[in-house]
Amino acid sequence: MSDYVIDPPPVASLPVAGSTARFPVRRIFCVGRNYADHAREMGHDPDREPPFFFDKPADALVVGDEDVPYPSATDQLEHEAELVAALGSGGCNIDAAGALDCVWGYAVGNDLTRRDIQAEAKKLGRPWTMAKGFDGSAVCGPVYPAARIGHPVSGHIRLLVNGTLRQSGDIAQMIWTLPEIIAALSRLVELKAGDLIYTGTPSGVGSLVPGDVVEIAIAGLGEVRSRITSRSC
Ligand code: MN
């Protein structure tokens, strides 16, 4: 018999590519404006900003090719194709030089965003939580172990909607590299095994509507294909 007064929530997890094993997810961190062309398209100067972070709850994960219900409370759901790092260990004040030792694997992700709520939050100086951390906002594909594929520092990242190219870039274009991101984030929180880091999106973000099919691919990390379905709430 458990002492819990209600059933504890299930552990969020991702499949491991080429295996029946699962990667358990603890927290989901995201980096803002980490590609210069995307920072510019959002009206910011890419040269001056240190990295900044927001997060999503672990149970916002949409795993692999599962359908994504169009979220409530928005008329501007936007896609952001991103490289996701999955940590196998963590720590505080991690040195960038050894930071990749913390990375267990990599995946393809979509940092779904209620852009209208984000725009209002920016204007009013409010938190981004409801713009970024809503149910179903963290699409993520299978985790490819670094032990098998290494630590990718370059590679094509692209996103198509209904077969039309919307985003195309290279992960080598990140303003802050993954080791720099881990070092900066670990000065703010203690990172731990199971943490995911969404590393930012290249330019070309845009709106989605129910019925759209979103395909995201990163060289060496396969492809995630999501169908946007009608609102569930
Ligand atoms: Mn993003």
Side-chain angles (χ1 to χ4, degrees):
M1 275 284 281
S2 151
D3 290 332
Y4 292 119
V5 296
I6 56 170
D7 291 336
V11 175
S13 68
L14 295 167
V16 173
S19 161
T20 56
R22 308 283 300 182
F23 181 90
V25 174
R26 175 181 175 256
R27 295 180 69 175
I28 302 175
F29 299 101
C30 306
V31 185
R33 293 174 211 141
N34 200 29
Y35 288 74
D37 52 358
H38 173 62
R40 283 188 205 100
E41 78 177 346
M42 300 302 286
H44 299 276
D45 178 350
D47 298 324
R48 292 205 180 157
E49 291 188 338
F52 70 94
F53 303 95
F54 54 91
D55 65 352
K56 297 174 186 264
D59 67 1
L61 271 182
V62 176
V63 177
D65 295 342
E66 282 177 19
D67 288 351
V68 179
Y70 196 95
S72 62
T74 186
D75 294 308
Q76 196 182 3
L77 175 68
E78 292 202 353
H79 55 76
E80 297 189 358
E82 310 206 0
L83 172 70
V84 179
L87 302 193
S89 63
C92 304
N93 302 315
I94 296 167
D95 192 35
L100 290 182
D101 293 344
C102 298
V103 181
W104 191 89
Y106 295 88
V108 170
N110 191 352
D111 167 18
L112 288 169
T113 303
R114 287 165 164 156
R115 195 70 72 198
D116 43 2
I117 291 183
Q118 187 192 35
E120 185 182 55
K122 286 179 180 177
K123 194 168 65 186
L124 298 175
R126 289 179 180 162
W128 284 13
T129 307
M130 294 303 155
K132 288 290 196 177
F134 53 90
D135 298 337
S137 59
V139 176
C140 196
V143 182
Y144 287 72
R148 194 192 322 155
I149 66 156
H151 294 279
V153 293
S154 65
H156 191 207
I157 177 170
R158 66 177 161 80
L159 180 147
L160 293 83
V161 178
N162 305 324
T164 301
L165 188 66
R166 292 265 193 99
Q167 293 187 267
S168 179
D170 194 293
I171 59 172
Q173 296 166 334
M174 286 186 202
I175 295 170
W176 300 95
T177 65
L178 181 58
E180 290 169 335
I181 290 166
I182 291 170
L185 186 53
S186 74
R187 287 195 284 274
L188 295 165
V189 290
E190 181 178 0
L191 295 172
K192 292 191 177 178
D195 290 343
L196 300 182
I197 303 175
Y198 282 61
T199 57
T201 196
S203 63
V205 300
S207 284
L208 297 167
V209 296
D212 281 349
V213 174
V214 184
E215 294 166 284
I216 309 178
I218 299 176
L221 301 178
E223 182 174 292
V224 170
R225 185 177 184 277
S226 313
R227 195 166 59 92
I228 310 297
T229 58
S230 53
R231 288 188 209 268
S232 61
C233 293

